[in-house]
């Protein structure tokens, strides 16, 4: 039943493509046909995604018959992964389309923008639903090409053109890697069907050379697609594009690299070396992006660096073999970050209205209490959910990173109450430095209770979603491999690095007036100038921007 229904799912990308054609033919200001077609197609795709998820849950996984010839054509694969990604893409896409109706209201090319938006959503939908590798490659390339048209929508914005050209440079390298990987897998398996390729890869005890080589090419394609170091420079610069594009990036575009690795998880398990490369590069990018993010003054640019870091952390999870958790990360981060970009203007206004000058951060007492509470919550909630000695070391490592995050949140929450001048931290007012003079001893019990309750809620949510993700994808994705010496070294390095970043985030407010730290901030704010080398590689500044009517973003 699911295989037949999967064929009907093609109606979703078809409707989006038709809406793109209608919008392109009605490109002017407040285009009634384009507005109606984009809304109808995006909401229709969302309803189809819900139906596909229900069909997969009740009838099981399946692949539609191939529409084509000689193993080349369209086929739809419905399983837990594709249904989840389809639901995510269509949900974020429908919201972005609706947001764009108001955001670009009055723009002389609003219809054209909606057309490009729908075309991009159609390409991403075909990507996550691909049942054969030929369709996957074509949808992968089409996604990049469609996104490029959105990035240069205001082509008189030179920075936007530069970012788009750098993105195109990285995308073409990624395309070449993916084509090579697909060719190797298709020849080794004798088919283009993704389900058959995964089944064959999962049954191999000793893989011929084609499979590990294909795994390495998949890694490189994923790293290039997801803006990983040193090809990350384009992502912070796409903030010159309209805000809906920044949100749309998180609907299966910037995280398509993670999806690719997870989709071919059985192939990745045949090459421990490829997983190690993924973990090392992803972990380093996560740390690099997190540190640079601390120095940014623009809300949207800071969010972009956060995305660089989060994509690195997601690929680190894949490199550790925690594919189910990586899917959860994709979904949670996409929803959070899309909302953050769409509300970035409101955040600026809110910050202006409630800004209070605070130069000091948590002291040792706050940090120590935060660590104690975080460890207690992790141990207590973890035991309830079955975290024990036989738990894979990779899961425990991610739990340690969770503890670091909770420590930071709790410590900052403890001093945050004092920053509003209510006397809960010390007895002074903000202007008299109450935060710097406060201590946990004087912390209001209600404040401490609220902070602890928030941390407890996060812990319970983490373990609940973790358990649900593992259960949902247990039959589809392989379990985490046993951690060998190299994997243990990578985990230890990741824990040490994340620990240092956590300490940096705790002490950074105290170092604001330090001359050396101010100099370091300048270099970090510029990403240690790695982007300059990327500019030269991509020859981005040789592009001549075309003249286009300028519209304020």
């Amino acid at each position: 039943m699911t295989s037949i229904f999967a064929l009907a799912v093609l109606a979703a990308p078809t409707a989006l493509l038709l809406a793109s054609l209608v919008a392109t033919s009605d490109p002017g200001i407040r285009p009634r046909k384009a507005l109606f077609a984009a809304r109808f197609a995006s909401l229709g795709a969302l309803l189809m995604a819900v139906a596909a998820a229900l069909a997969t849950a009740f009838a099981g996984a399946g692949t539609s018959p191939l529409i084509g010839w000689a193993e080349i054509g369209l086929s739809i694969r419905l399983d837990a992964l594709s249904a989840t990604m389809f639901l995510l893409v269509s949900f974020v896409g429908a919201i972005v389309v609706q947001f764009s109706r108001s955001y670009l209201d009055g723009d002389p090319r609003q219809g054209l923008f909606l057309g490009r938006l729908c075309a991009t959503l159609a390409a991403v939908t075909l990507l996550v639903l691909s049942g054969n590798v030929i369709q996957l490659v074509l949808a992968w390339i089409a996604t990049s090409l469609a996104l490029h048209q959105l990035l240069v929508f205001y082509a008189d914005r030179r920075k936007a053109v530069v970012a788009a050209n750098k993105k195109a440079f990285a995308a073409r390298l990624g395309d070449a890697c993916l084509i090579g990987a697909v060719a190797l897998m298709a020849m080794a398996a004798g088919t283009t069907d993704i389900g058959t390729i995964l089944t064959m890869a999962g049954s191999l005890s000793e893989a011929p050379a084609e499979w590990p080589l294909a795994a390495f090419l998949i890694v490189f394609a994923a790293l290039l697609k997801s803006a990983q170091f040193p090809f990350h420079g384009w992502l912070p610069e796409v903030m010159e594009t309209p805000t809906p594009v920044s949100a749309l990036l998180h609907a299966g575009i910037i995280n398509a690299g993670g999806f690719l690795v997870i989709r071919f998880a059985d192939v990745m398990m045949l090459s421990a070396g490829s997983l190690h490369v993924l973990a090392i590069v992803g972990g380093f990018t996560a740390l690099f992006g997190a540190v640079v993010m601390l120095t940014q003054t623009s809300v949207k640019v800071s969010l972009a660096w956060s995305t660089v870091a989060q994509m690195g952390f997601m690929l680190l999870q894949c490199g550790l073999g925690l594919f189910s958790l990586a899917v959860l990360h994709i979904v949670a981060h996409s929803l959070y970050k899309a909302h953050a970009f769409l509300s970035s203007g409101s955040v600026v206004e809110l910050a202006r209205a409630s800004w209070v000058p605070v130069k000091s951060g948590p002291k040792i007492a706050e940090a120590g209490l935060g660590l104690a509470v975080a460890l207690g919550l992790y141990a207590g909630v973890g035991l309830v959910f079955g975290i024990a000695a036989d738990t894979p070391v990779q899961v425990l490592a991610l739990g340690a990173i969770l503890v670091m995050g909770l420590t930071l949140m709790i410590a900052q929450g403890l001093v945050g109450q004092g920053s509003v001048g209510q006397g809960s931290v010390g007895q002074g007012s903000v202007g008299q430095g109450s935060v710097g003079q406060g201590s946990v001893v004087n912390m209001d019990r209600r404040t401490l209770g609220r902070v602890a309750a928030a941390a407890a809620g996060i812990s319970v949510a983490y373990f609940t979603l973790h358990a649900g993700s593992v259960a949902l994808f247990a039959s589809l994705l392989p379990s985490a491999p046993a951690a060998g010496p190299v994997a243990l070294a990578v985990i230890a390095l990741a824990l040490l690095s994340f620990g240092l970043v956590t300490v940096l985030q705790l002490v950074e407010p105290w170092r604001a007036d330090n001359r050396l730290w101010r100099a370091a901030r300048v270099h970090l704010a510029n990403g240690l100038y790695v982007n300059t080398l990327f500019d030269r590689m991509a020859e981005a500044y040789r592009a001549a921007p075309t003249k286009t009517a300028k519209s304020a973003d």
Side-chain angles (χ1 to χ4, degrees), residues 85 124 127 140 143 147 167 221-228 231-232 234-236 238 245-259 304 307-312 314-315 330 333-334 337 341:
M85 291 299 297
V124 178
L127 171 64
W140 177 279
T143 298
L147 176 64
K167 168 65 173 68
L223 294 174
L224 288 162
K225 191 74 167 182
S226 294
Q228 298 297 281
F231 298 100
H232 61 278
W234 64 269
L235 185 56
V238 300
V245 180
S246 302
L248 184 69
L249 280 172
H250 299 83
I253 299 177
I254 190 65
N255 40 34
F259 167 76
T307 293
V308 171
Q310 290 295 329
M311 291 301 97
M314 180 262 297
L315 292 177
I330 288 176
H333 175 257
S334 296
K337 196 56 68 67
F341 272 112

Side-chain angles (χ1 to χ4, degrees), residues 503-514:
V503 173
L504 176 63
Q505 289 176 304
L506 285 169
V507 305
E508 188 271 340
W510 295 95
R511 309 296 295 173
D513 294 330
N514 183 276

Side-chain angles (χ1 to χ4, degrees), residues 135-449:
Q135 176 185 334
L136 186 143
V137 169
L138 294 177
W140 177 279
I141 297 173
T143 298
S144 293
L145 297 178
L147 176 64
H148 185 83
Q149 295 303 311
L150 287 172
L151 295 180
V152 298
F153 182 71
Y154 295 134
D156 56 343
R157 298 183 177 183
R158 184 169 181 79
K159 289 184 178 180
V161 175
V162 169
N165 288 336
K166 289 194 287 189
K167 168 65 173 68
F169 176 79
R172 298 297 77 78
L173 291 178
D175 295 345
C177 291
L178 181 58
I179 291 172
V182 162
L184 288 170
M185 290 188 295
M187 288 189 294
T191 180
T192 63
D193 181 71
I194 291 178
T196 305
I197 291 174
L198 296 178
T199 300
M200 182 173 292
S203 65
L204 293 174
S205 56
E206 293 185 8
E210 295 88 345
W211 293 98
L213 181 56
F216 272 103
L217 290 174
I218 289 173
V219 166
F220 294 140
L223 294 174
L224 288 162
K225 191 74 167 182
S226 294
Q228 298 297 281
F229 186 92
F231 298 100
H232 61 278
W234 64 269
L235 185 56
E237 295 180 358
V238 300
M239 299 306 103
E240 287 291 318
T241 62
T243 295
V245 180
S246 302
L248 184 69
L249 280 172
H250 299 83
I253 299 177
I254 190 65
N255 40 34
F259 167 76
L260 179 69
V261 172
I262 297 167
R263 169 52 79 199
F264 293 103
D266 291 295
V267 178
M268 301 301 302
M269 294 294 289
L270 298 176
S271 173
S274 64
L275 292 176
H276 295 155
V277 171
L278 196 63
I280 292 171
V281 178
F284 177 80
T285 305
L287 294 167
F288 178 74
V291 173
V292 175
M293 179 189 68
L294 295 176
T295 65
Q296 302 303 309
T297 56
S298 166
V299 173
K300 291 177 66 176
V301 174
S302 178
L303 289 173
W305 278 105
S306 172
T307 293
V308 171
Q310 290 295 329
M311 291 301 97
F313 190 72
M314 180 262 297
L315 292 177
L316 169 64
Q317 292 173 317
C318 292
L320 296 178
L322 303 175
F323 300 107
S324 298
L325 279 180
V327 179
L328 174 61
H329 193 140
I330 288 176
V331 174
H333 175 257
S334 296
L335 295 176
Y336 151 70
K337 196 56 68 67
H339 173 269
F341 272 112
L342 294 181
S343 60
S344 57
S346 301
V347 170
V348 172
E349 295 302 322
L350 180 62
R352 286 175 178 173
S354 59
W355 180 79
V356 176
V358 177
K359 291 186 177 182
S360 58
K363 288 186 176 181
I364 295 177
E366 284 86 5
L369 179 59
L371 178 60
V373 174
L375 285 172
L377 287 172
Y378 180 73
V381 179
L383 288 175
V384 172
F385 280 84
I387 299 296
D390 58 346
T391 302
V393 65
Q394 296 94 321
V395 175
L396 295 176
L398 290 185
I401 295 174
L402 172 66
V403 169
M404 297 177 198
L406 288 176
T407 300
L408 180 64
M409 186 200 78
I410 295 170
Q412 291 179 336
L414 294 179
V415 298
Q417 182 71 14
S419 67
V420 297
Q422 296 177 353
S424 59
V425 180
Q427 301 299 321
S429 63
V430 173
Q432 297 173 346
S434 62
V435 176
Q437 299 174 359
S439 67
V440 178
V441 176
N442 296 320
M443 172 58 59
D444 186 276
R445 291 183 179 181
R446 290 178 298 177
T447 301
L448 183 58

